[in-house]
Amino acid sequence: MAESDIIIPETGADKDENFVDDEFKGTVPAGDAESMQSNPNSLGYGVQKIMLEYWDPENEKYWEAEGKHIAKRNLIASIPNLLCGFGVWLVWSVITSKIQLAHDKDPDVYHFPDWGSPSGNDYRSILYLIPAVAGISGGTLRIPNSFMTQCSGGRNVVYSTTLLLALPMLLAGIALRDPDVDLNFLLACSLLSGVGGGAFASSMSNISFFYPKRLQGYALGMNGGLGNLGVSVSQLVAPIFMGAGFGAASVSKVTNTWTYNAGWLWFCLCIPSAVAAFFWMNNQPSHGEATTLLNLKNFR
């Protein structure tokens, strides 16, 4: 075989050493990544540069010097947001049980006039539409949430999702003070609360990009495991708030019930969680767009 026929495979040394050819890492000089100056404006816990310029958690030098600090901060901000997602999504089952209890003791409370003020088994049948609607909504919304991170950026999806969750809790906190509240209004609130169920898909997908493969199990376990504590908060803490007036008047004159406090509890948890995600989380170089306006456009 002639020497000219020998094909020598191209090595990293033969390529342009100043270019990183990987859409998930970004396009910055490779030398910068090695000198650990890739994202100087995205370190610490102050106001962050939203879009990372470079990301390669599999590069051990980069991970130790910069990557693990950014990943840890994103994980810390992600957990309370997922906790709010699970809590708001499932709190309706607790609210429903308290509504039933209050109505049994005082039939004039939560009698749902828009559905003809039903009673007995008919009342229970329509009442449990509330958690059912939330469940169906959450399960369905996991489908678009599975790819929303790549379209609009993980940080943008997380904080906007939590703000959306604050809305039905605010409405529930106001509406449940009225003993004549319409069932259709509560169904609309539970439908919107399904956003919390869908948030699981986007949150877990987003965090997986921040960690190297050897640590993804830890990161996903912390995010999903601690995030699931939202269920415990709804089942254990919310009933305590619904049984305490904190100086406010009871919905019923016959029995003491403050069902609306469940809404205020989660509203007060959602707002600071969304603020933490807004300021402390980042978008991957390959996720979303350069501006917030374009990212919002991708939500359509």
Side-chain angles (χ1 to χ4, degrees):
M1 180 182 295
E3 184 176 343
S4 60
D5 294 332
I6 298 176
I7 300 176
I8 302 176
E10 184 181 34
T11 65
D14 298 317
K15 296 181 180 180
D16 182 355
E17 63 179 5
N18 290 322
F19 180 76
V20 177
D21 186 15
D22 188 334
E23 62 173 341
F24 291 100
K25 297 177 183 177
T27 53
V28 297
D32 283 357
E34 293 298 332
S35 62
M36 321 312 171
Q37 299 296 321
S38 302
N39 300 289
N41 297 320
S42 298
L43 293 171
Y45 288 85
V47 178
Q48 307 295 315
K49 183 175 181 181
I50 297 171
M51 182 73 76
L52 297 175
E53 297 179 5
Y54 175 89
W55 190 252
D56 183 13
E58 301 298 339
N59 182 325
E60 292 188 9
K61 292 183 179 179
Y62 171 77
W63 174 254
E64 289 297 325
E66 177 181 282
K68 68 179 182 180
H69 304 294
I70 296 175
K72 180 181 179 181
R73 189 191 64 242
N74 276 266
L75 178 60
I76 290 174
S78 176
I79 290 172
N81 283 273
L82 184 56
L83 183 145
C84 287
F86 275 110
V88 172
W89 183 33
L90 297 175
V91 74
W92 288 102
S93 61
V94 181
I95 291 176
T96 298
S97 66
K98 293 297 184 179
I99 288 176
Q100 175 75 71
L101 184 61
H103 180 75
D104 288 344
K105 294 181 178 180
D106 184 357
D108 291 331
V109 172
Y110 303 134
H111 57 100
F112 305 138
D114 57 328
W115 281 63
S117 298
S119 60
N121 290 332
D122 290 338
Y123 182 86
R124 283 187 287 274
S125 297
I126 67 168
L127 177 62
Y128 284 92
L129 285 173
I130 298 175
V133 167
I136 294 173
S137 174
T140 304
L141 288 174
R142 286 193 177 183
I143 299 174
N145 269 271
S146 62
F147 55 81
M148 190 59 72
T149 294
Q150 288 85 342
C151 295
S152 299
R155 169 258 189 188
N156 301 329
V157 174
V158 171
Y159 88 78
S160 59
T161 295
T162 307
L163 286 179
L164 283 175
L165 291 172
L167 178 59
M169 292 297 95
L170 173 64
L171 296 176
I174 296 173
L176 288 171
R177 295 179 68 95
D178 182 5
D180 300 320
V181 62
D182 288 341
L183 177 65
N184 287 334
F185 186 84
L186 297 181
L187 289 174
C189 291
S190 68
L191 180 69
L192 186 55
S193 297
V195 171
F200 177 76
S202 57
S203 179
M204 298 295 278
S205 171
N206 178 57
I207 285 300
S208 67
F209 287 104
F210 280 95
Y211 282 81
K213 289 182 175 59
R214 61 186 174 85
L215 294 176
Q216 283 183 358
Y218 161 80
L220 295 176
M222 293 292 288
N223 191 53
L226 295 179
N228 263 288
L229 288 177
V231 179
S232 300
V233 175
S234 282
Q235 293 179 338
L236 300 177
V237 180
I240 296 175
F241 276 74
M242 287 188 280
F246 302 105
S250 172
V251 177
S252 171
K253 295 180 180 180
V254 177
T255 182
N256 291 327
T257 180
W258 297 271
T259 313
Y260 53 84
N261 279 343
W264 292 117
L265 168 65
W266 280 112
F267 177 79
C268 293
L269 291 175
C270 283
I271 295 302
S273 297
V275 170
F278 185 88
F279 287 108
W280 285 1
M281 295 189 73
N282 303 102
N283 293 332
Q284 291 284 324
S286 61
H287 295 171
E289 303 288 349
T291 66
T292 301
L293 183 61
L294 290 175
N295 284 314
L296 291 174
K297 182 180 179 182
N298 287 344
F299 274 106
R300 296 186 307 172

